[in-house]
Amino acid sequence: MNRTLVTFLGRAPRDENGYRTTACRFTDGSCSEPVAFFGWELARRLRPVLYLFEAVITRLCQMARVEVQDFEGREWARSNYEERPRAFHDERNRYRLLKNLRNQVAHGTRPSKGEVQKVLLDRNRLRETLESLWQAVNDGDPPSERTLKHSRG
């Protein structure tokens, strides 16, 4: 389900508390909850992507015994994980999807990957994808010890 924004925040009337809020109306007839500006509604759905990817990077740092605050160490742990040959395609695909979603959200660019476009354009699909990725990360996959051990083999 694609949703196109048909209303923009303009000069909205003040509410009883003196705040200017508006709801965003989409072509499918749905509306968001009243928000102070459109970015808040969008950010509420996209922020978990950033946090989830950060959780993966943090776990990679822990597995590599690298300080999370050490930027060079973080980068090494991430690139080391990404460069390893992978026998576990499901884990690789989940990691790539999460990384691509994170990049699109963080940089605000138009998604170039078809799957990422589909996920970001559909609120329900985004929720389902994030729930699935969260469960996988919570279960330790990605990143998994088995991938790192298998790759060292």
Side-chain angles (χ1 to χ4, degrees):
M1 172 178 83
N2 290 339
R3 293 170 31 113
T4 305
L5 180 66
V6 293
T7 60
F8 293 93
L9 183 64
R11 188 97 171 134
R14 292 180 191 269
D15 67 10
E16 63 277 359
N17 297 316
Y19 295 103
R20 295 185 190 275
T21 60
T22 190
C24 300
R25 187 171 52 87
F26 297 91
T27 55
D28 65 359
S30 66
C31 289
S32 71
E33 293 295 316
V35 292
F37 66 96
F38 182 65
W40 284 359
E41 175 70 13
L42 188 59
R44 191 181 72 182
R45 284 186 254 141
L46 300 181
R47 190 175 303 121
V49 173
L50 301 173
Y51 292 149
L52 191 56
F53 188 74
E54 184 61 27
V56 170
I57 299 302
T58 299
R59 186 158 196 277
L60 283 172
C61 289
Q62 292 169 342
M63 292 165 69
R65 292 180 173 77
V66 171
E67 287 295 320
V68 177
Q69 296 83 8
D70 175 11
F71 180 76
E72 289 178 10
R74 287 169 57 93
E75 193 59 27
W76 176 84
R78 184 196 55 77
S79 63
N80 186 44
Y81 177 73
E82 289 178 1
E83 290 171 4
R84 291 179 181 273
R86 304 268 186 86
F88 305 104
H89 299 289
D90 289 345
E91 178 180 346
R92 182 184 65 217
N93 291 339
R94 282 189 295 270
Y95 176 80
R96 284 184 178 168
L97 175 60
L98 179 57
K99 181 181 176 184
N100 289 329
L101 283 168
R102 180 264 175 210
N103 288 342
Q104 299 309 311
V105 169
H107 301 293
T109 57
R110 182 179 174 95
S112 58
K113 308 273 187 225
E115 179 66 15
V116 175
Q117 284 180 332
K118 291 175 186 172
V119 170
L120 289 177
L121 289 174
D122 184 334
R123 175 174 37 189
N124 293 327
R125 190 171 191 167
L126 176 61
R127 181 183 44 75
E128 291 166 3
T129 299
L130 286 176
E131 286 174 0
S132 172
L133 288 170
W134 182 87
Q135 187 61 52
V137 170
N138 194 45
D139 292 342
D141 186 17
S144 70
E145 288 281 349
R146 70 178 182 170
T147 299
L148 296 175
K149 287 178 183 175
H150 182 272
S151 298
R152 289 179 193 133

